[in-house]
Amino acid sequence: MTQIPLKTFYMMRHGESQSNAEGYAAGSFDTPLTEKGRHQALDARRIFETLTPRPALIAHSHLSRAKDTAQILNQKTNLPEIETPLIAEQCYGDWMGQPWEDLRDRLMSGEKPPNGESMDMLTSRAIKGLSEILSLPDRPPLIVTHGGVFKALLRLYQCKMDSVKNCSIYSFTPAASKQPFPWDVCIHDLSGSTPIKVQAL
């Protein structure tokens, strides 16, 4: 499988979407941000504008919930933006539109959705996308993506982490010591408090 360059980067999940609010599985289906999701992106923008080192570009998936989140973040900074479907959410195939509660355990167990993507397929695609973004010769990028892409990154290193909140910004810094997951991870949540170091297990 493609290896990811060991560089500093930022990554975040999009703001709350209609499917998040209504509790159904969207996956690769396009579902817009809610009003709450737009406000979350505005709150995240204040954090984004203070990040050190400063991001040089924003990469986002082609799905509107990620693209619109990125554009809200970038309204004042006007950084270059890159759009790639490689970092889109897992395709749930015939399960798209079904209640999330009915699917959570099946997806978490690794069951492949009919006519959709398996976790192996998602991981391969997402890692390829992250590698391409992190191979660019600029300063750290901010990657606006989806919960499944976080899961794919951690799965590559046989690690896991608590669920990823909408619009919290995660910083990934190469770890000084050897560990299963080769980055130290801090979360900048929407409260604007001091970044909290989290553990990938």
Side-chain angles (χ1 to χ4, degrees):
M1 184 176 289
T2 303
Q3 293 298 306
I4 299 179
L6 193 58
K7 293 182 177 180
T8 297
F9 67 100
Y10 303 100
M11 193 157 78
M12 66 184 290
R13 184 183 174 202
H14 57 81
E16 183 191 71
S17 66
Q18 183 177 329
S19 64
N20 295 153
E22 296 181 6
Y24 65 87
S28 59
F29 178 77
D30 208 9
T31 175
L33 292 177
T34 60
E35 193 62 29
K36 178 181 177 181
R38 292 186 173 276
H39 283 296
Q40 288 173 330
L42 286 168
D43 288 340
R45 188 173 76 190
R46 289 191 283 272
I47 299 169
F48 166 68
E49 292 171 351
T50 66
L51 292 175
T52 303
R54 184 174 179 268
L57 61 90
I58 300 177
H60 57 79
S61 86
H62 67 298
L63 297 172
S64 66
R65 56 193 186 273
K67 183 175 183 176
D68 290 350
T69 298
Q71 290 178 344
I72 291 169
L73 290 174
N74 203 23
Q75 281 176 350
K76 292 184 178 180
T77 46
N78 293 313
L79 295 178
E81 292 187 25
I82 297 171
E83 178 176 307
T84 171
L86 292 174
I87 56 169
E89 185 56 279
Q90 182 178 359
C91 175
Y92 297 145
D94 295 350
W95 291 353
M96 288 192 288
Q98 294 189 27
W100 180 247
E101 285 301 319
D102 294 347
L103 302 176
R104 184 193 306 274
D105 290 344
R106 299 173 75 178
L107 287 167
M108 294 301 178
S109 72
E111 185 175 345
K112 181 181 180 293
N115 298 309
E117 286 182 303
S118 66
M119 272 305 301
D120 283 345
M121 293 165 68
L122 167 64
T123 300
S124 179
R125 167 173 62 78
I127 296 308
K128 182 176 187 294
L130 293 175
S131 179
E132 288 181 2
I133 294 165
L134 292 175
S135 294
L136 296 171
D138 294 303
R139 287 176 296 170
L142 173 70
I143 300 167
V144 184
T145 185
H146 307 264
V149 174
F150 276 84
K151 187 188 301 183
L153 173 60
L154 291 160
R155 188 170 182 265
L156 178 66
Y157 297 96
Q158 299 181 329
C159 298
K160 59 183 179 178
M161 193 167 60
D162 290 339
S163 59
V164 178
K165 300 176 182 178
N166 293 105
C167 272
S168 289
I169 299 175
Y170 291 73
S171 62
F172 292 78
T173 306
S177 59
K178 289 185 178 180
Q179 56 186 34
F181 192 72
W183 287 273
D184 290 325
V185 185
C186 286
I187 179 173
H188 307 252
D189 65 28
L190 296 182
S191 69
S193 59
T194 302
I196 302 169
K197 187 174 182 179
V198 295
Q199 185 69 42
L201 302 174

